[in-house]
Amino acid sequence: MRLDKFLSHHGVGSRKDVKALVKKKVITVNGNTVTKADMKLNPETDTVMVQDEVIHFEPYVYIMLNKPAGVVSSTQDKDRTVIDIVSGFEHYDLHPVGRLDKDTEGLLILTNDGQFTHDVLSPKKHVNKTYFAKIDGIVSDETVKQFQHGVTLDDGYHTMPGLLTIMNVNCAEQTSEIELIIQEGKFHQVKRMFEAVGMKVTYLKRIKMGNLVLDATLSTGDYKKLSPEEIKCVRN
């Protein structure tokens, strides 16, 4: 890989910025001062330093975002996107791992690792997605059984089984609070599953993917880089 590409990819600056740093003689590779910005290096084995700071090779990045409502889960849109929220990672070509509806909150992962995204989203991989929802309607044990067998959506698609847990029921207000675990991600799936049984989702938040739980310290709109251990949790 070219040095200027490596450094720009890791947020040091544009290729023009790298050339300026080379002229200042503040970049070294394996202890040797760099004289050409386009020199070739092995990012996995060579040690690159800029102003005495080691630039660690990081081909992929994984970000946990506590997505706020009103933001689109897309890379580009006429409205504000989740990519617009995350700053400091512009040198990575980030994309959301799946989508949350515009009015849905909670756990969303952003990455540039396409294989990771495929592994997490494929129903064949059986990665659980856990949601908390407020429901207009009384969720009963019968509803739980219906979800266990999957429900037929408005387009005729029959979903995979969903594990529905009743958290709270308010008979006076005819509302319920639930947790739902599914392994698919069809368009508006959670909302449409409840519509299929005559109820309406009034609030929806994803709280878990695999065994990765939304960090309680992240306020709505906040984000953080995931550790290797946390990344493994998504697939487990």
Side-chain angles (χ1 to χ4, degrees):
M1 182 183 293
R2 284 172 49 136
L3 173 69
D4 51 6
K5 181 179 180 180
F6 172 83
L7 291 177
S8 63
H9 183 72
H10 287 76
V12 173
S14 65
R15 294 191 178 186
K16 183 178 179 180
D17 295 331
V18 172
K19 284 184 178 180
L21 291 170
V22 168
K23 287 183 179 180
K24 292 179 180 179
K25 298 182 178 180
V26 295
I27 302 177
T28 63
V29 175
N30 299 327
N32 300 313
T33 302
V34 172
T35 58
K36 292 184 178 180
D38 61 353
M39 72 167 287
K40 296 292 180 65
L41 59 87
N42 185 332
E44 295 186 20
T45 58
D46 292 333
T47 301
V48 181
M49 299 183 71
V50 178
Q51 295 177 333
D52 297 324
E53 179 182 348
V54 176
I55 307 300
H56 296 284
F57 179 54
E58 193 173 26
Y60 299 116
V61 66
Y62 310 83
I63 311 284
M64 174 191 285
L65 169 68
N66 186 354
K67 178 192 172 296
V71 179
V72 180
S73 297
S74 177
T75 55
Q76 290 184 331
D77 195 88
K78 59 183 177 63
D79 295 320
R80 192 181 186 212
T81 73
V82 292
I83 302 299
D84 296 328
I85 294 178
V86 178
S87 61
F89 298 92
E90 291 78 10
H91 46 293
Y92 290 101
D93 188 16
L94 295 178
H95 63 264
V97 180
R99 293 172 179 266
L100 290 178
D101 299 340
K102 187 175 181 179
D103 60 350
T104 299
E105 300 179 359
L107 174 56
L108 185 67
I109 298 173
L110 306 176
T111 186
N112 60 332
D113 186 345
Q115 185 60 51
F116 173 85
T117 299
H118 172 75
D119 290 346
V120 172
L121 297 182
S122 173
K124 295 179 181 178
K125 300 293 184 178
H126 303 294
V127 175
N128 291 332
K129 290 87 176 176
T130 306
Y131 297 84
F132 168 78
K134 295 180 181 180
I135 308 297
D136 186 2
I138 299 296
V139 179
S140 66
D141 291 340
E142 179 60 31
T143 316
V144 172
K145 292 178 182 177
Q146 288 177 286
F147 274 56
Q148 283 177 347
H149 295 95
V151 297
T152 302
L153 305 182
D154 49 5
D155 60 359
Y157 177 78
H158 194 79
T159 70
M160 293 174 62
L163 180 59
L164 178 60
T165 302
I166 303 170
M167 308 298 292
N168 185 48
V169 173
N170 188 321
C171 294
E173 297 183 5
Q174 292 288 290
T175 59
S176 307
E177 293 182 351
I178 61 92
E179 280 190 7
L180 175 64
I181 300 175
I182 58 176
Q183 294 179 344
E184 299 173 290
K186 299 294 182 182
F187 182 69
H188 294 324
Q189 181 167 338
V190 176
K191 296 175 182 176
R192 293 166 67 202
M193 288 179 77
F194 277 98
E195 287 172 0
V197 295
M199 301 181 200
K200 182 180 179 181
V201 174
T202 58
Y203 174 81
L204 185 61
K205 180 176 184 177
R206 184 157 63 195
I207 58 176
K208 192 175 180 182
M209 293 182 72
N211 288 321
L212 179 68
V213 179
L214 177 63
D215 191 327
T217 67
L218 292 179
S219 300
T220 304
D222 287 348
Y223 53 90
K224 71 169 190 177
K225 282 179 65 176
L226 292 174
S227 68
E229 291 74 21
E230 289 174 315
I231 296 164
K232 290 179 183 178
C233 284
V234 182
R235 291 189 173 103
N236 296 331

